[in-house]
Amino acid sequence: PARWISTSLLECTVPAASVATSGPAEAVVSITLNGADFIKLPASFLYVPAIVLTGISPDGGPAVGGTAVTLSGENFVYSSSLTCRFGLIDVAASFVSSTEVVCAAPSLAAGRALVSVSNNGADFSASELSWMVHSDAVVASVSPALGSVTGGSVVMVRGAGFADTPMVKCSFSGVAAAATSFVSATELACTAPEHMAGMVQVDVANNGVDFTDSGVQFQFVEEATLSGLSPQRGAVAGGTGVLVSGHNLVDSDALACRFGEVSSPGRWVSSSEVECVSPQAASGVAGSVAFSVSLNGAEYIPSGLSFEYVGAVTLESVYPTTGPSSGGTELFLAGTNFYYAPGLTCRIGLVEVAASFVSSTELRCLTPPLTAGVLPVSVSANGIDFASGEASFTATGDAEVLSVSPPLGSAAGGTDVTVTGRGFTEVTQLACLFGGVASSTATFVSEDELKCTTPAHEPGSVALGISGKGFVTVLSGVEFRFTPKAFVSSMSPLSGPDIGGTRLSVHGYSFFDSDKLACKFNSMFVPARWISTSLLECTVPAASVATSGPAEAVVSITLNGADFIKLPASFLYVPAIVLTGISPDGGPAVGGTAVTLSGENFVYSSSLTCRFGLIDVAASFVSSTEVVCAAPSLAAGRALVSVSNNGADFSASELSWMVHSDAVVASVSPALGSVTGGSVVMVRGAGFADTPMVKCSFSGVAAAATSFVSATELA
């Protein structure tokens, strides 16, 4: 029977084929509206065997749909109407063969759906297969986020919609995980495969086919190795900064170091260095623990390295406690738990220098240039962990020699010098260095002054420095001059007036010019003048105490103001000469007159001298009140006469000596007279003087009287 639907549509149900077929069979189709007249349809109806479904792959997919589903069975026919039905939703199928078709799963609600197939889009197979609709898988994160190119990292993939099915899979940019394990609907454990270095995307497919497009990345990195760590020791309390060296180290939020069983965060420095801080020792006691690094927080790099926990270093004292800010002071540091290591360090203020190991209780280090002031001192056995304490070092202003006085001295040594400057410190074994030769003694006076005694040294100028236990410094180019040893042989004169003023000549050798040249008379100093290498002169000062008679003074000379050479003879102070009389008071210009000078304080001396005008003549000592000397030849006129006990210092008092023109007798008249005398004889000639002392003599017998008439005549 047929059913009228409309004027343009009839429906009828196809009967079973009249003969069973093993393949398609055609049937001619006609319709009748009155049971008598038949209208033949233009196409035949094709009978085909009924579809039988035997398999489905995959057996499930995401709710979003789109999974390519392969259905296997029998009697599939190529047709534009070939259709798959998932639950109540039909989708076109692609003919592969009479035993296989493929169709894309539609979007469905999570759960199970029955799947059937129709060759004509109307008659679906009586056999149905089960299709599991999974909630859509979502990948939110992976941990760790990186691993070695060799694979094997167990990556925890976290998200939602993961299915507990044997088909669930992880992939790393299309490369399947070596293994995938279901943990929960929000977590899978995936073993990373081998992969070239680089960033990859991690996705999940609940059916092993339809992978997410997560955008979540995992980094494959070259296999890392560790080669060392520094320092290799640190305090039990932890806190030591450790620098780890190696190869192929990468930056990561999960970077970590492991000390024994305790881990601490790491900080990436470069592909060959990582930094981390040691945690407190797990056991709380000293000892060695295995050390390693993890780039991903999960897997640790095999290293064979170890880190030793040691007792905390303590610093108890520092010696010396002061030194120049220019550096060079050797410090002796006492404490506990010191040990030999390349990282032994002293920290003075903010400056660090290497330390030398002496024992477990002593270190030494040399101060570097420092800022002047009181600076805290600490030590480290590993160059990282510094001992706390109250030790300090006072860095004085840069030690500098500004001057030395005297600036020169004998090559024989023994000169006491004062070194002035700044920043001097009081240390043991203090010495001044003269061209590298240490002084025989040195005394600290103040930060600005030292006193030293020069050593013996070859003549010449040398650099001056200072030294002491803990530092050696040659400073500022100040020089000291070693001079040949000087000797004194004599002086002249040997005596002089007690009022001073005598010009003293000192004879010897190896004298040199210096602004420190001086003569010393007992305790009185007077400047000296350099004349030559064998002669000095100085002016004798007045006697320090007024004398009523001769008094000796010890005489010394100094070439540098510090070293004194004593003269072989003393200087004799005598009272100054006072002249009271002269007889006669004149004489002929030709000289030769024996002149007697009277006065006070004449002294017997080989240098006793009379001075007539500008001419000196030897005097003969008669007594302390009288000397005699022969008048020299002088021009006519008056000359002042003075006397010197030493041939150098002449009396301040002077007497007048009349020098007459030489008298010449030409004639006498009368030329004879009585033996009884009384004849007035007129003596005529030249050069006669109008003076009470003018006299005539007759063969040595003085005239009874002599009267001056003129320069040419006497009576």
Side-chain angles (χ1 to χ4, degrees):
R3 293 181 297 283
W4 183 87
I5 303 302
S6 68
T7 58
S8 59
L9 178 63
L10 296 177
E11 281 188 354
C12 55
T13 301
V14 177
S18 58
V19 179
T21 65
S22 60
E26 291 185 347
V28 176
V29 181
S30 302
I31 63 168
T32 181
L33 301 176
N34 55 13
D37 301 312
F38 286 87
I39 303 170
K40 182 181 178 182
L41 271 68
S44 297
F45 180 82
L46 185 66
Y47 279 103
V48 294
I51 292 172
V52 178
L53 296 180
T54 57
I56 186 171
S57 178
D59 62 359
V64 71
T67 302
V69 182
T70 299
L71 291 154
S72 54
E74 299 175 359
N75 304 321
F76 298 134
V77 175
Y78 177 78
S79 165
S80 60
S81 299
L82 192 62
T83 303
C84 293
R85 176 171 286 167
F86 290 80
L88 300 177
I89 300 176
D90 293 349
V91 294
S94 297
F95 179 83
V96 177
S97 69
S98 62
T99 59
E100 185 177 328
V101 295
V102 176
C103 49
S107 175
L108 296 167
R112 290 197 174 273
L114 294 176
V115 179
S116 57
V117 177
S118 169
N119 282 321
N120 59 10
D123 303 307
F124 286 86
S125 60
S127 58
E128 296 175 310
L129 297 174
S130 179
W131 171 254
M132 186 64 191
V133 182
H134 306 296
S135 296
D136 291 339
V138 176
V139 176
S141 65
V142 293
S143 178
L146 58 84
S148 171
V149 294
T150 60
S153 297
V154 177
V155 182
M156 302 308 294
V157 180
R158 296 179 177 87
F162 301 153
D164 184 9
T165 167
M167 296 300 291
V168 68
K169 290 287 186 293
C170 295
S171 81
F172 294 77
S173 285
V175 180
T180 302
S181 298
F182 177 83
V183 178
S184 70
T186 59
E187 187 173 28
L188 299 177
C190 304
T191 302
E194 290 186 23
H195 198 284
M196 65 185 299
M199 301 297 294
V200 299
Q201 180 172 294
V202 178
D203 292 300
V204 170
N206 284 323
N207 61 3
V209 175
D210 299 303
F211 286 91
T212 59
D213 185 7
S214 69
V216 176
Q217 291 188 318
F218 178 86
Q219 183 180 6
F220 282 98
V221 297
E222 297 292 345
E223 190 168 11
T225 59
L226 302 181
S227 57
L229 69 158
S230 177
Q232 298 177 347
R233 298 180 178 90
V236 169
T240 301
V242 177
L243 184 65
V244 186
S245 55
H247 298 284
N248 298 327
L249 306 177
V250 296
D251 196 6
S252 163
D253 292 340
L255 194 63
C257 296
R258 184 166 64 189
F259 297 77
E261 298 302 319
V262 184
S263 295
S264 69
R267 186 181 75 84
W268 185 81
V269 178
S270 69
S271 62
S272 59
E273 288 185 335
V274 168
E275 287 182 340
C276 49
V277 177
S278 66
Q280 182 177 357
S283 62
V285 296
S288 292
V289 296
F291 176 85
S292 190
V293 171
S294 173
L295 303 181
N296 59 18
E299 300 161 322
Y300 284 84
I301 303 167
S303 70
L305 300 176
S306 63
F307 182 83
E308 183 180 1
Y309 282 103
V310 296
V313 171
T314 63
L315 177 61
E316 297 172 351
S317 65
V318 175
Y319 177 83
T321 57
T322 61
S325 60
S326 57
T329 301
E330 185 177 24
L331 298 184
F332 298 79
L333 304 105
T336 60
N337 295 324
F338 299 153
Y339 55 85
Y340 176 77
L344 282 174
T345 305
C346 292
R347 177 184 288 163
I348 307 163
L350 299 177
V351 184
E352 296 178 7
V353 294
S356 298
F357 177 78
V358 178
S359 70
S360 62
T361 59
E362 183 179 347
L363 298 178
R364 295 181 186 178
C365 57
L366 203 63
T367 61
L370 299 166
T371 301
V374 179
L375 305 173
V377 178
S378 58
V379 296
S380 172
N382 58 17
I384 303 296
D385 304 311
F386 284 85
S388 59
E390 299 181 356
S392 65
F393 177 79
T394 301
T396 60
D398 286 349
E400 183 178 8
V401 172
L402 300 177
S403 64
V404 58
S405 179
L408 44 82
S410 171
T415 301
D416 293 326
V417 299
T418 298
V419 179
T420 57
R422 56 184 171 224
F424 298 156
T425 55
E426 186 173 12
V427 296
T428 59
Q429 301 176 14
L430 184 65
C432 294
L433 300 178
F434 295 84
V437 180
S439 58
S440 56
T441 62
T443 303
F444 174 82
V445 179
S446 70
E447 290 184 358
D448 305 323
E449 185 176 325
L450 301 177
K451 290 190 179 296
C452 301
T453 302
T454 62
H457 198 285
E458 291 293 323
S461 294
V462 298
L464 176 63
I466 57 174
S467 70
K469 185 176 182 181
F471 76 92
V472 174
T473 312
V474 176
L475 304 159
S476 74
V478 172
E479 292 188 336
F480 182 86
R481 181 157 64 101
F482 284 97
T483 61
K485 185 177 181 179
F487 290 88
V488 173
S489 57
S490 64
M491 69 177 180
S492 63
L494 295 175
S495 64
D498 57 8
I499 61 173
T502 301
R503 179 177 291 180
L504 184 70
S505 296
V506 180
H507 304 273
Y509 58 90
S510 297
F511 297 159
F512 53 85
D513 197 8
S514 161
D515 59 2
K516 301 293 184 180
L517 287 176
C519 294
K520 183 171 74 169
F521 294 80
N522 290 335
S523 60
M524 294 180 293
F525 289 86
V526 292
R529 295 175 297 281
W530 183 82
I531 306 301
S532 70
T533 57
S534 59
L535 177 62
L536 300 178
E537 284 186 354
C538 53
T539 301
V540 178
S544 58
V545 178
T547 60
S548 58
E552 289 187 345
V554 175
V555 182
S556 302
I557 64 164
T558 178
L559 304 177
N560 60 9
D563 302 314
F564 289 86
I565 306 171
K566 183 180 177 183
L567 273 68
S570 297
F571 181 81
L572 185 65
Y573 279 106
V574 295
I577 293 173
V578 178
L579 296 180
T580 58
I582 184 170
S583 179
D585 62 1
V590 70
T593 304
V595 182
T596 298
L597 291 151
S598 55
E600 299 176 0
N601 303 322
F602 298 136
V603 175
Y604 176 78
S605 165
S606 60
S607 299
L608 193 61
T609 304
C610 293
R611 175 171 286 168
F612 291 78
L614 299 176
I615 300 176
D616 295 346
V617 295
S620 297
F621 179 81
V622 178
S623 69
S624 62
T625 59
E626 185 178 329
V627 295
V628 175
C629 48
S633 175
L634 296 166
R638 289 197 176 272
L640 294 176
V641 179
S642 58
V643 178
S644 170
N645 284 320
N646 60 11
D649 303 303
F650 287 84
S651 57
S653 57
E654 297 175 308
L655 298 174
S656 178
W657 171 255
M658 186 64 191
V659 182
H660 307 293
S661 297
D662 291 340
V664 176
V665 177
S667 64
V668 295
S669 178
L672 58 83
S674 174
V675 295
T676 61
S679 298
V680 176
V681 181
M682 301 307 291
V683 179
R684 295 178 178 86
F688 302 152
D690 184 9
T691 169
M693 296 299 290
V694 68
K695 292 288 188 292
C696 294
S697 77
F698 295 83
S699 291
V701 179
T706 302
S707 299
F708 176 81
V709 177
S710 70
T712 60
E713 187 175 22
L714 298 176

